[in-house]
Amino acid sequence: MVGAGKASAAMARAFEKAWPTNEQPAPLDGLVVTRRGHAVPCERITIVEASHPVPDRAGEQAARDILDLARGLGPTISWCA
């Protein structure tokens, strides 16, 4: 999962809670970047806080990390919008 924005951390947590956790759960990981002060704890999705509206190093690195994740995706990925 990847995302960005003030609500992205809360949505990531909700997504984690809704993700199947049966005996053979599908893998779930990812990274979202949110405005400082809007992080929430997640177990499998990394939350990065960055400044807004002026980007800082944390936001720039998070964008690079999201691009790296996207480049590494294979043909069996699932999309959810």
Side-chain angles (χ1 to χ4, degrees), residues 15-79:
F15 198 79
E16 275 189 348
K17 287 183 179 184
W19 197 254
T21 58
N22 57 17
E23 292 148 17
Q24 292 185 333
L28 172 65
D29 63 2
L31 184 147
V32 300
V33 58
T34 190
R35 186 175 183 172
R36 294 198 187 280
H38 292 269
V40 296
C42 287
E43 293 180 22
R44 297 182 279 175
I45 299 168
T46 302
I47 307 297
V48 175
E49 290 184 287
S51 70
H52 178 76
V54 178
D56 61 3
R57 288 182 189 217
E60 181 182 349
Q61 186 60 53
R64 291 178 193 278
D65 292 344
I66 287 172
L67 285 172
D68 287 343
L69 284 171
R71 286 184 185 116
L73 295 175
T76 60
I77 107 163
S78 297
W79 291 94

